[in-house]
Amino acid sequence: DQQVKQNSPSLSVQEGRISILNCDYTNSMFDYFLWYKKYPAEGPTFLISISSIKDKNEDGRFTVFLNKSAKHLSLHIVPSQPGDSAVYFCAASANNQGGKLIFGQGTELSVKP
Amino acid sequence: DTAVSQTPKYLVTQMGNDKSIKCEQNLGHDTMYWYKQDSKKFLKIMFSYNNKELIINETVPNRFSPKSPDKAHLNLHINSLELGDSAVYFCASSPQRRQGLANEKLFFGSGTQLSVL
């Protein structure tokens, strides 16, 4: 019973173009969402987050969009760079459930020069 | 000068053995975690400790026993290892969570690849 799902295991994008990574969730009590980035042989590192009271949060080349009615969020990277090649994890948490993070299974992004 | 360090990085062992994974953080955080990345790549929380006190204990077999000697360390001991325990185990830490906020920005170690033969 996976409450957070990333249905695309991989994505390949040309350098300079937009990368769009998607994430779906089932628990309507989630009120905070995060994206983590992971390089091989390293642990995930925090990238960007969004509270459920917002529908968009932007940080440089990274923007996260939240559609609560669809229980869907997405991460946009523009322009994509080869150094963005990594696995991206979506995560969600709910205050009334102890705040523990529930992760998706990740999407491997490959940005080709 | 690693913020969250865990050892060993790789661990290969036989079924039935007992093994430990160590984790240390130098960020001054109060909360530490163990996550397991299974074969389907999901990262799943196992345990969480806040200032040496157990606060999250998911439905993990009792062969797994976390130990926190102080708030900078959270070790994971596994008894009677089984084939299904093969996975990557990540330690993480976060600043003390303020009451009512679910904005846990975790800082992860680089993982321990456990292979049970």
Side-chain angles (χ1 to χ4, degrees):
Chain A
D1 181 27
Q2 301 301 335
Q3 300 181 64
V4 178
K5 291 183 181 179
Q6 296 173 253
N7 293 316
S8 297
S10 62
L11 175 67
S12 184
V13 171
Q14 205 68 29
E15 181 179 7
R17 305 296 291 269
I18 185 171
S19 295
I20 300 176
L21 297 105
N22 294 302
C23 178
D24 297 295
Y25 62 96
T26 57
N27 189 342
S28 58
M29 301 306 295
F30 285 146
D31 51 17
Y32 201 77
F33 304 88
L34 306 90
W35 284 93
Y36 281 78
K37 176 179 179 179
K38 182 184 180 304
Y39 292 118
E42 295 183 12
T45 56
F46 171 76
L47 186 59
I48 192 169
S49 62
I50 188 168
S51 163
S52 61
I53 62 173
K54 296 185 176 181
D55 54 19
K56 177 182 174 181
N57 188 26
E58 190 173 351
D59 183 3
R61 297 185 297 113
F62 302 90
T63 303
V64 56
F65 295 92
L66 176 62
N67 182 335
K68 289 191 291 292
S69 60
K71 295 191 180 67
H72 177 84
L73 67 156
S74 59
L75 174 69
H76 292 209
I77 307 172
V78 56
S80 302
Q81 299 173 355
D84 296 330
S85 297
V87 176
Y88 289 79
F89 289 95
C90 167
S93 67
N95 264 326
N96 70 344
Q97 294 173 6
K100 67 185 180 187
L101 282 182
I102 308 296
F103 283 84
Q105 69 270 54
T107 296
E108 184 171 8
L109 173 66
S110 176
V111 180
K112 309 271 185 217
Chain B
D1 199 22
T2 308
V4 181
S5 59
Q6 52 182 110
T7 55
K9 193 166 182 65
Y10 300 97
L11 185 53
V12 181
T13 188
Q14 299 287 331
M15 277 177 52
N17 284 350
D18 303 339
K19 290 292 178 186
S20 293
I21 307 173
K22 295 185 177 181
C23 180
E24 175 181 5
Q25 54 96 3
N26 63 7
L27 297 167
H29 290 167
D30 287 309
T31 307
M32 295 186 72
Y33 309 79
W34 278 108
Y35 275 82
K36 176 181 179 180
Q37 186 176 28
D38 59 22
S39 57
K40 295 182 179 178
K41 304 301 182 185
F42 287 97
L43 273 163
K44 295 183 179 178
I45 190 168
M46 301 173 68
F47 302 101
S48 171
Y49 271 72
N50 181 269
N51 206 7
K52 301 195 298 175
E53 180 183 350
L54 180 66
I55 56 174
I56 294 176
N57 184 350
E58 291 298 286
T59 50
V60 176
N62 57 16
R63 297 182 295 104
F64 290 79
S65 53
K67 286 189 171 47
S68 182
D70 54 62
K71 74 173 194 178
H73 295 84
L74 180 61
N75 303 323
L76 183 64
H77 189 76
I78 315 170
N79 289 328
S80 303
L81 278 155
E82 300 177 356
L83 293 176
D85 298 332
S86 296
V88 182
Y89 292 84
F90 288 96
C91 176
S93 73
S94 68
Q96 184 173 13
R97 187 189 321 143
R98 285 185 290 161
Q99 196 70 23
L101 291 180
N103 54 353
E104 295 287 355
K105 296 176 186 176
L106 304 183
F107 294 76
F108 283 87
S110 58
T112 295
Q113 172 85 57
L114 172 64
S115 298
V116 182
L117 306 177

